[in-house]
PDB file of all heavy atoms in Angstrom:
ATOM      1  N   ARG A 144     -24.241 -16.208  -7.551  1.00  0.00           N
ATOM      2  CA  ARG A 144     -23.899 -16.688  -6.208  1.00  0.00           C
ATOM      3  C   ARG A 144     -22.599 -17.491  -6.261  1.00  0.00           C
ATOM      4  O   ARG A 144     -22.427 -18.338  -7.121  1.00  0.00           O
ATOM      5  CB  ARG A 144     -25.020 -17.556  -5.647  1.00  0.00           C
ATOM      6  CG  ARG A 144     -26.242 -16.758  -5.237  1.00  0.00           C
ATOM      7  CD  ARG A 144     -27.209 -17.610  -4.416  1.00  0.00           C
ATOM      8  NE  ARG A 144     -28.312 -16.783  -3.942  1.00  0.00           N
ATOM      9  CZ  ARG A 144     -29.487 -16.679  -4.567  1.00  0.00           C
ATOM     10  NH1 ARG A 144     -29.683 -17.344  -5.695  1.00  0.00           N
ATOM     11  NH2 ARG A 144     -30.434 -15.898  -4.087  1.00  0.00           N
ATOM     12  N   THR A 145     -21.717 -17.201  -5.323  1.00  0.00           N
ATOM     13  CA  THR A 145     -20.445 -17.921  -5.229  1.00  0.00           C
ATOM     14  C   THR A 145     -20.221 -18.343  -3.783  1.00  0.00           C
ATOM     15  O   THR A 145     -20.933 -17.902  -2.877  1.00  0.00           O
ATOM     16  CB  THR A 145     -19.265 -17.040  -5.673  1.00  0.00           C
ATOM     17  OG1 THR A 145     -19.216 -15.863  -4.852  1.00  0.00           O
ATOM     18  CG2 THR A 145     -19.382 -16.643  -7.137  1.00  0.00           C
ATOM     19  N   PHE A 146     -19.242 -19.216  -3.578  1.00  0.00           N
ATOM     20  CA  PHE A 146     -18.810 -19.548  -2.225  1.00  0.00           C
ATOM     21  C   PHE A 146     -17.288 -19.627  -2.232  1.00  0.00           C
ATOM     22  O   PHE A 146     -16.684 -19.972  -3.249  1.00  0.00           O
ATOM     23  CB  PHE A 146     -19.442 -20.857  -1.729  1.00  0.00           C
ATOM     24  CG  PHE A 146     -18.941 -22.091  -2.427  1.00  0.00           C
ATOM     25  CD1 PHE A 146     -17.937 -22.879  -1.874  1.00  0.00           C
ATOM     26  CD2 PHE A 146     -19.485 -22.479  -3.642  1.00  0.00           C
ATOM     27  CE1 PHE A 146     -17.480 -24.011  -2.515  1.00  0.00           C
ATOM     28  CE2 PHE A 146     -19.032 -23.630  -4.301  1.00  0.00           C
ATOM     29  CZ  PHE A 146     -18.027 -24.392  -3.733  1.00  0.00           C
ATOM     30  N   PRO A 147     -16.655 -19.293  -1.107  1.00  0.00           N
ATOM     31  CA  PRO A 147     -15.192 -19.274  -1.062  1.00  0.00           C
ATOM     32  C   PRO A 147     -14.586 -20.498  -0.366  1.00  0.00           C
ATOM     33  O   PRO A 147     -15.097 -20.973   0.648  1.00  0.00           O
ATOM     34  CB  PRO A 147     -14.893 -18.012  -0.251  1.00  0.00           C
ATOM     35  CG  PRO A 147     -16.021 -17.951   0.740  1.00  0.00           C
ATOM     36  CD  PRO A 147     -17.226 -18.564   0.052  1.00  0.00           C
ATOM     37  N   LEU A 148     -13.499 -20.993  -0.942  1.00  0.00           N
ATOM     38  CA  LEU A 148     -12.594 -21.898  -0.229  1.00  0.00           C
ATOM     39  C   LEU A 148     -11.372 -21.047   0.115  1.00  0.00           C
ATOM     40  O   LEU A 148     -10.721 -20.508  -0.785  1.00  0.00           O
ATOM     41  CB  LEU A 148     -12.172 -23.081  -1.097  1.00  0.00           C
ATOM     42  CG  LEU A 148     -13.258 -23.994  -1.669  1.00  0.00           C
ATOM     43  CD1 LEU A 148     -12.616 -25.194  -2.353  1.00  0.00           C
ATOM     44  CD2 LEU A 148     -14.225 -24.456  -0.592  1.00  0.00           C
ATOM     45  N   ILE A 149     -11.068 -20.908   1.385  1.00  0.00           N
ATOM     46  CA  ILE A 149     -10.007 -20.009   1.824  1.00  0.00           C
ATOM     47  C   ILE A 149      -8.818 -20.823   2.339  1.00  0.00           C
ATOM     48  O   ILE A 149      -8.932 -21.544   3.332  1.00  0.00           O
ATOM     49  CB  ILE A 149     -10.505 -19.055   2.928  1.00  0.00           C
ATOM     50  CG1 ILE A 149     -11.737 -18.282   2.433  1.00  0.00           C
ATOM     51  CG2 ILE A 149      -9.398 -18.090   3.347  1.00  0.00           C
ATOM     52  CD1 ILE A 149     -12.390 -17.409   3.493  1.00  0.00           C
ATOM     53  N   ALA A 150      -7.702 -20.713   1.629  1.00  0.00           N
ATOM     54  CA  ALA A 150      -6.465 -21.400   2.030  1.00  0.00           C
ATOM     55  C   ALA A 150      -5.669 -20.456   2.918  1.00  0.00           C
ATOM     56  O   ALA A 150      -5.240 -19.383   2.476  1.00  0.00           O
ATOM     57  CB  ALA A 150      -5.656 -21.797   0.804  1.00  0.00           C
ATOM     58  N   LEU A 151      -5.463 -20.850   4.164  1.00  0.00           N
ATOM     59  CA  LEU A 151      -4.815 -20.003   5.173  1.00  0.00           C
ATOM     60  C   LEU A 151      -3.531 -20.660   5.649  1.00  0.00           C
ATOM     61  O   LEU A 151      -3.528 -21.842   6.012  1.00  0.00           O
ATOM     62  CB  LEU A 151      -5.771 -19.799   6.359  1.00  0.00           C
ATOM     63  CG  LEU A 151      -5.198 -19.216   7.657  1.00  0.00           C
ATOM     64  CD1 LEU A 151      -4.742 -17.783   7.463  1.00  0.00           C
ATOM     65  CD2 LEU A 151      -6.245 -19.308   8.777  1.00  0.00           C
ATOM     66  N   ARG A 152      -2.445 -19.913   5.639  1.00  0.00           N
ATOM     67  CA  ARG A 152      -1.217 -20.407   6.257  1.00  0.00           C
ATOM     68  C   ARG A 152      -1.223 -20.011   7.730  1.00  0.00           C
ATOM     69  O   ARG A 152      -1.609 -18.879   8.077  1.00  0.00           O
ATOM     70  CB  ARG A 152       0.015 -19.825   5.572  1.00  0.00           C
ATOM     71  CG  ARG A 152       1.314 -20.422   6.104  1.00  0.00           C
ATOM     72  CD  ARG A 152       2.534 -19.901   5.379  1.00  0.00           C
ATOM     73  NE  ARG A 152       3.759 -20.472   5.952  1.00  0.00           N
ATOM     74  CZ  ARG A 152       4.991 -20.110   5.599  1.00  0.00           C
ATOM     75  NH1 ARG A 152       5.162 -19.176   4.670  1.00  0.00           N
ATOM     76  NH2 ARG A 152       6.032 -20.672   6.173  1.00  0.00           N
ATOM     77  N   HIS A 153      -0.817 -20.919   8.588  1.00  0.00           N
ATOM     78  CA  HIS A 153      -0.814 -20.633  10.027  1.00  0.00           C
ATOM     79  C   HIS A 153       0.021 -19.396  10.348  1.00  0.00           C
ATOM     80  O   HIS A 153       0.912 -18.997   9.591  1.00  0.00           O
ATOM     81  CB  HIS A 153      -0.291 -21.838  10.817  1.00  0.00           C
ATOM     82  CG  HIS A 153       1.146 -22.172  10.543  1.00  0.00           C
ATOM     83  ND1 HIS A 153       2.200 -21.439  11.054  1.00  0.00           N
ATOM     84  CD2 HIS A 153       1.700 -23.153   9.799  1.00  0.00           C
ATOM     85  CE1 HIS A 153       3.334 -21.962  10.654  1.00  0.00           C
ATOM     86  NE2 HIS A 153       3.077 -23.002   9.879  1.00  0.00           N
ATOM     87  N   ALA A 154      -0.259 -18.799  11.482  1.00  0.00           N
ATOM     88  CA  ALA A 154       0.457 -17.594  11.926  1.00  0.00           C
ATOM     89  C   ALA A 154       1.879 -17.955  12.373  1.00  0.00           C
ATOM     90  O   ALA A 154       2.280 -19.125  12.400  1.00  0.00           O
ATOM     91  CB  ALA A 154      -0.323 -16.928  13.054  1.00  0.00           C
ATOM     92  N   LYS A 155       2.640 -16.929  12.724  1.00  0.00           N
ATOM     93  CA  LYS A 155       4.052 -17.095  13.078  1.00  0.00           C
ATOM     94  C   LYS A 155       4.218 -18.035  14.278  1.00  0.00           C
ATOM     95  O   LYS A 155       3.648 -17.804  15.354  1.00  0.00           O
ATOM     96  CB  LYS A 155       4.662 -15.725  13.414  1.00  0.00           C
ATOM     97  CG  LYS A 155       6.129 -15.761  13.817  1.00  0.00           C
ATOM     98  CD  LYS A 155       7.017 -16.132  12.660  1.00  0.00           C
ATOM     99  CE  LYS A 155       8.488 -16.044  13.050  1.00  0.00           C
ATOM    100  NZ  LYS A 155       9.364 -16.550  11.963  1.00  0.00           N
TER     101      LYS A 155
END
Side-chain angles (χ1 to χ4, degrees):
R144 287 192 175 95
T145 59
F146 69 97
L148 302 187
I149 304 174
L151 167 66
R152 185 177 178 186
H153 65 76
K155 179 68 175 174

